[in-house]
Amino acid sequence: MPDLPRQIRLAAGDYFMHAQDHRMRRIGLPGNVCCAVHRLGNGLDADLLRRRIAASPILDWLARVRVVRPLPLIPPLWRTVAKPSTIFYEHTDHNGGGNGPWPLPQVVTDRELHSGRGPSLAFDLVRHADGINHLYLSWNHALLDARGVDLLLSHLNNDGTAKGAPTIENLISPRQKGWNLSGWWPNVKMARGSVKWLHESGRDPIFTLLPARPPAGPLCNQYRSVSFSQEETARITARCQRLTAGFRRSHFYLAASLRAVHAVAVRRGNKTGAYLIPAPHDTRRRGSNGPICSNHLSILFYRIEPQHAGRLSDILGELSRQMTDQIRDRFPESCMAALDMFKPLPLGFYVRHLGKPTRGKFATFCFSDSGETCTGMTDLLGGRILDVTHLVPTWRPPGLTVVFLSFSGRLSALLSSVNDCLSPDEVDSLERDIRSALLEEEVP
Amino acid sequence: MTPQTTDPKTISEQLCQFARTNFVVEGATFDEHSPLAQAGIDSFALVELLLYCERVLGVRVPDSHLTGNNLTSMATLASCIAELARNNHSSP
């Protein structure tokens, strides 16, 4: 078994997520903490789960690692502390049944998962009276991304005999090992392109969901899960095949989301405000077993003018053109180089710097397509996986995040919003419009 | 830019090599007949592949040619690119 390093470099995406965590807590939101909710059938071996978590060197390392800045104005890093942390909690629910993922039980929402103080992840197993179990895997987004969580569960589910399951060799990217300043030295030339692009694309007017006034009451994240049956998912896939040859699935989902947000914007009187949407892309190779730790992403930014946001075909055309232009100009690499370059900045300056091109608006909404989750897994330690939902908190700004994911041939979309940015009626309308955009043909 | 070759076999070998270096996970079997969607070619990778065609092969593939049939495998994509090259559909 290889020795795990005591400290590694913080990926550019990790510091970005850490900064968002800082900003969310400052305005009263619970932090950049995600929760993967697995609804499991009878047969789950909770003792085995506890033993696997306790025996896993990967989870031991992940539970002990913290974001540390060795000196002011030096890039931060992940460093392990000696103290082992408890990360598995078991609860019994004598009354309720195992229903939907939201609202989260109080015990899960109260869990403090801070990447600087740690631990940054926790497992809560709730055993319901009807035999259904809910496994809540909560994690600070600075530590892991959605694919990393998937790999972690696949590692836990493996008894050591299965071929191709993630192992300790897959925990850390080789590029993050060997922390020293030479590994950070900024590539200013590389970063310049994206900074210039963001300043041009962030020009006014940009439509924002944020209210003009400061929040009157306490802020909280609200979640709406839009689920599609297997039959509906098959229809959506067939439409995607027709519209985008099947290769631009994420664009199809993004176009549907944008058309729905555009409808809200029009009702709010928006005529000229453009929509700015960052869309992350997983940089791991498809089917690879790692790395598990850190956020391995590159980002594309789309700016869609309102006159192009009313029809799916127009939006798809714009997305395709902008994606090709950005990859041709090496924008994703440039954007990550810029984020890497700003890592030495203290969190407050870093956040302010990120908001500069858009004068603090950051984006209209965030979009992500996590793809297939729990690939190849039908059960988790004996319990059949009935349903999976990833609850991803939204940042403020922008106040809305749309995340698509599919499990076992069923697509779902999570609408995560901050209570003062979207009213319940507007969330209803988003759900309705996304469903119709994905399932129904557009009138020519 | 003048297209470098019009031979589908040569083009498909070059495309496969590019995919193995950039997208296909180490140890996975991948050849010119492997389905693109199962080999880790998503929208991002597809754009990179098309830009590689422009840069190295000198052929620009228009959106109208990005059909399900042409994007079945590297072999079908290579045939489409060879056809475009013969019709002098060069990149600017």
Side-chain angles (χ1 to χ4, degrees):
Chain A
M1 193 174 77
D3 281 338
L4 289 171
R6 189 173 158 254
Q7 59 187 32
I8 61 165
R9 289 176 201 161
L10 207 70
D14 298 351
Y15 195 57
F16 176 80
M17 294 299 178
H18 185 59
Q20 293 295 351
D21 184 75
H22 165 82
R23 179 156 69 167
M24 288 168 81
R25 290 176 199 269
R26 272 190 63 184
I27 58 169
L29 284 167
N32 198 5
V33 177
C34 307
C35 186
V37 187
H38 295 79
R39 192 164 156 259
L40 305 166
N42 258 324
L44 171 78
D45 188 340
D47 286 336
L48 180 61
L49 177 61
R50 188 188 307 109
R51 284 201 305 275
R52 288 258 172 96
I53 290 172
S56 164
I58 292 180
L59 276 163
D60 175 68
W61 192 87
L62 289 173
R64 289 190 294 119
V65 81
R66 312 277 185 269
V67 175
V68 172
R69 191 188 294 279
L71 287 167
L73 300 178
I74 291 288
L77 47 86
W78 287 111
R79 182 181 281 169
T80 54
V81 293
K83 191 179 156 203
S85 305
T86 309
I87 53 166
F88 180 67
Y89 306 88
E90 210 173 332
H91 321 272
T92 306
D93 171 26
H94 295 289
N95 305 314
N99 294 318
W102 179 256
L104 287 172
Q106 191 68 32
V107 70
V108 177
T109 52
D110 284 351
R111 209 161 290 302
E112 174 64 7
L113 299 170
H114 196 287
S115 45
R117 292 191 290 275
S120 302
L121 80 169
F123 293 83
D124 281 277
L125 178 66
V126 180
R127 316 193 71 165
H128 299 286
D130 60 1
I132 298 290
N133 302 286
H134 267 116
L135 179 66
Y136 299 91
L137 166 50
S138 316
W139 77 96
N140 191 298
H141 210 331
L143 181 69
L144 301 164
D145 56 18
R147 176 88 185 119
V149 165
D150 234 28
L151 292 168
L152 194 58
L153 283 171
S154 172
H155 155 74
L156 272 183
N157 209 28
N158 174 30
D159 60 3
T161 58
K163 258 180 104 176
T167 61
I168 198 156
E169 280 85 8
N170 304 116
L171 175 62
I172 299 158
S173 163
R175 278 186 293 184
Q176 285 178 262
K177 290 180 185 168
W179 183 86
N180 59 44
L181 273 179
S182 67
W184 163 78
W185 190 248
N187 191 343
V188 179
K189 205 173 164 190
M190 178 68 137
R192 207 163 43 196
S194 63
V195 174
K196 185 168 172 272
W197 190 95
L198 282 171
H199 275 276
E200 279 169 13
S201 293
R203 70 188 180 276
D204 272 333
I206 290 176
F207 175 73
T208 177
L209 291 162
L210 253 60
R213 291 179 193 158
L219 296 175
C220 66
N221 282 125
Q222 48 190 18
Y223 297 106
R224 175 76 59 91
S225 183
V226 186
S227 304
F228 299 91
S229 66
Q230 279 187 332
E231 185 269 328
E232 285 174 326
T233 304
R235 274 168 58 200
I236 292 169
T237 307
R239 277 202 77 206
C240 182
Q241 190 72 32
R242 276 200 308 280
L243 284 165
T244 71
F247 277 91
R248 289 182 176 149
R249 186 195 60 196
S250 301
H251 277 183
F252 183 44
Y253 301 158
L254 171 53
S257 311
L258 176 56
R259 203 184 75 173
V261 171
H262 175 61
V264 170
V266 168
R267 277 198 295 277
R268 288 192 186 183
N270 178 51
K271 286 193 175 73
T272 55
Y275 306 104
L276 197 63
I277 312 134
H281 177 261
D282 184 10
T283 54
R284 297 175 187 87
R285 292 185 184 206
R286 180 93 60 93
S288 66
N289 278 334
I292 299 172
C293 179
S294 286
N295 289 268
H296 298 277
L297 51 90
S298 62
I299 302 172
L300 291 168
F301 257 92
Y302 300 108
R303 181 187 170 107
I304 310 287
E305 298 299 331
Q307 61 270 28
H308 296 133
R311 293 186 58 78
L312 285 183
S313 49
D314 292 347
I315 301 172
L316 284 169
E318 275 296 302
L319 294 176
S320 172
R321 184 184 62 76
Q322 292 187 25
M323 182 190 207
T324 307
D325 287 349
Q326 287 180 42
I327 295 177
R328 183 182 280 122
D329 296 342
R330 302 186 66 198
F331 176 85
E333 293 94 326
S334 169
C335 196
M336 297 323 284
L339 285 180
D340 218 28
M341 197 173 81
F342 296 138
K343 273 192 317 196
L345 291 179
L347 285 173
F349 282 110
Y350 179 84
V351 167
R352 202 178 311 161
H353 211 75
L354 287 185
K356 260 189 184 170
T358 51
R359 290 149 309 284
K361 288 174 186 162
F362 183 66
T364 302
F365 69 98
C366 293
F367 172 85
S368 166
D369 175 16
S370 300
E372 181 78 22
T373 189
C374 295
T375 316
M377 282 168 64
T378 52
D379 60 79
L380 186 65
L381 300 162
R384 189 167 178 75
I385 307 175
L386 303 173
D387 209 0
V388 182
T389 310
H390 281 198
L391 298 175
V392 181
T394 192
W395 312 324
R396 186 185 183 282
L400 171 70
T401 296
V402 184
V403 183
F404 278 82
L405 115 130
S406 68
F407 167 69
S408 188
R410 296 193 308 267
L411 181 70
S412 66
L414 178 83
L415 309 178
S416 166
S417 55
V418 179
N419 55 333
D420 75 329
C421 295
L422 279 164
S423 70
D425 285 349
E426 286 175 329
V427 177
D428 287 345
S429 111
L430 279 182
E431 174 176 357
R432 217 171 31 244
D433 288 349
I434 288 177
R435 288 192 76 86
S436 75
L438 291 173
L439 286 163
E440 292 163 22
E441 297 296 332
E442 270 184 318
V443 181
Chain B
M1 186 175 169
T2 314
Q4 302 293 303
T5 174
T6 56
D7 175 31
K9 187 79 190 160
T10 314
I11 294 172
S12 111
E13 275 167 15
Q14 283 178 285
L15 294 179
C16 283
Q17 190 51 47
F18 181 76
R20 277 191 207 101
T21 315
N22 294 285
F23 320 123
V24 182
V25 73
E26 219 170 285
T29 1
F30 179 75
D31 63 24
E32 58 181 9
H33 300 296
S34 306
L36 289 190
Q38 286 169 26
I41 314 283
D42 56 10
S43 58
F44 202 95
L46 180 66
V47 172
E48 290 206 38
L49 198 64
L50 298 175
L51 292 175
Y52 170 79
C53 292
E54 276 184 37
R55 214 170 45 241
V56 177
L57 304 171
V59 179
R60 183 169 213 162
V61 185
D63 272 2
S64 56
H65 284 60
L66 300 179
T67 60
N69 285 343
N70 286 341
L71 296 175
T72 306
S73 65
M74 286 300 184
T76 57
L77 180 59
S79 301
C80 162
I81 292 167
E83 180 70 33
L84 288 167
R86 277 194 292 276
N87 296 332
N88 216 10
H89 215 288
S90 55
S91 60

